[in-house]
């Protein structure tokens, strides 16, 4: 499906890619689409303007049905696709196999599927531990996805007691 979306081409900038991560409020999608509909009315080319408005309206109707963003986020692709010299509007709503890491809105002559394609690539999984004076963190990284497994915090006593003439000097040395 990702390869099929990558092959889609359109006339003008009427192909919209919308990547929404899990932590995004559904109302943000509606606000963005409403704002872009207002901006699309200023497009000079009549054909391109109508195609963009049609695609944004389709996304807006579909987004109203999203009450909760899925755990991995949602990817929405909509636009007028040219196949075999015929134009046809297509709308694809996909829940990715791994969590989306960033919010993205793009309006171009092709769908942007780079982030979905990167999810399909096999990545090794690495674990790492970060230790500092305030605690420890255990995490894994796979591709560009970082997952915190556990975090410990500690409050260690300082090496010097406060007070006396040495307190300002210790304060300067500490920072």
């Amino acid at each position: 499906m990702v390869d099929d979306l990558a092959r889609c081409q359109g006339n003008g900038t009427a192909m919209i890619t919308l990547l929404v991560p899990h932590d995004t409020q559904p109302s943000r999608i509606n606000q963005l689409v409403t704002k872009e509909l207002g901006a699309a009315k200023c497009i000079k080319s009549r054909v391109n303007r109508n195609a963009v408005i049609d695609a944004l309206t389709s996304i807006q109707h579909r987004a109203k049905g999203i009450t909760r963003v899925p755990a991995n986020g949602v990817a929405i692709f909509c636009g007028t696709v040219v196949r075999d010299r015929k134009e046809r509007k297509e709308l694809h709503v996909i829940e990715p196999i791994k969590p989306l890491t960033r919010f993205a809105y793009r309006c171009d002559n092709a769908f942007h599927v780079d982030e979905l394609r990167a999810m399909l690539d096999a990545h090794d999984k690495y674990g790492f531990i970060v230790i500092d004076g305030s605690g420890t963190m255990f995490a894994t990284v796979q591709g560009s996805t970082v997952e915190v497994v556990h975090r410990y915090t500690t409050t260690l006593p300082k090496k010097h007691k406060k007070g006396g003439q040495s307190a300002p000097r210790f304060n300067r040395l500490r920072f």
Side-chain angles (χ1 to χ4, degrees), residues 26-65:
S27 61
R28 182 175 177 203
I29 301 169
N30 193 27
Q31 288 173 350
L32 172 80
V33 172
T34 304
K35 183 180 120 188
E36 291 298 325
L37 272 168
K41 293 177 181 167
C42 298
I43 297 174
K44 292 180 181 176
S45 168
R46 180 188 54 83
V47 174
N48 193 30
R49 177 179 60 241
N50 290 341
V52 170
I53 289 173
D54 190 34
L56 286 169
T57 305
S58 296
I59 290 173
Q60 190 174 39
H61 288 300
R62 183 59 66 98
K64 285 182 182 177

Side-chain angles (χ1 to χ4, degrees), residues 32-103:
L32 172 80
V33 172
T34 304
K35 183 180 120 188
E36 291 298 325
L37 272 168
K41 293 177 181 167
C42 298
I43 297 174
K44 292 180 181 176
S45 168
R46 180 188 54 83
V47 174
N48 193 30
R49 177 179 60 241
N50 290 341
V52 170
I53 289 173
D54 190 34
L56 286 169
T57 305
S58 296
I59 290 173
Q60 190 174 39
H61 288 300
R62 183 59 66 98
K64 285 182 182 177
I66 299 174
T67 57
R68 234 176 23 97
V69 178
N72 290 339
V74 66
I76 302 173
F77 301 95
C78 187
T80 305
V81 178
V82 178
R83 292 181 195 238
D84 300 327
R85 289 184 263 160
K86 294 181 182 177
E87 289 186 354
R88 188 174 137 212
K89 184 177 77 168
E90 292 187 10
L91 174 66
H92 301 278
V93 180
I94 301 169
E95 182 179 349
I97 59 173
K98 294 180 184 174
L100 290 171
T101 56
R102 62 185 175 89
F103 186 91

Side-chain angles (χ1 to χ4, degrees), residues 133-155:
S134 63
T136 305
M137 179 181 73
F138 297 93
T140 60
V141 64
Q142 185 174 15
S144 63
T145 305
V146 177
E147 179 183 348
V148 176
V149 178
H150 204 305
R151 185 178 300 205
Y152 296 103
T153 58
T154 60
T155 52

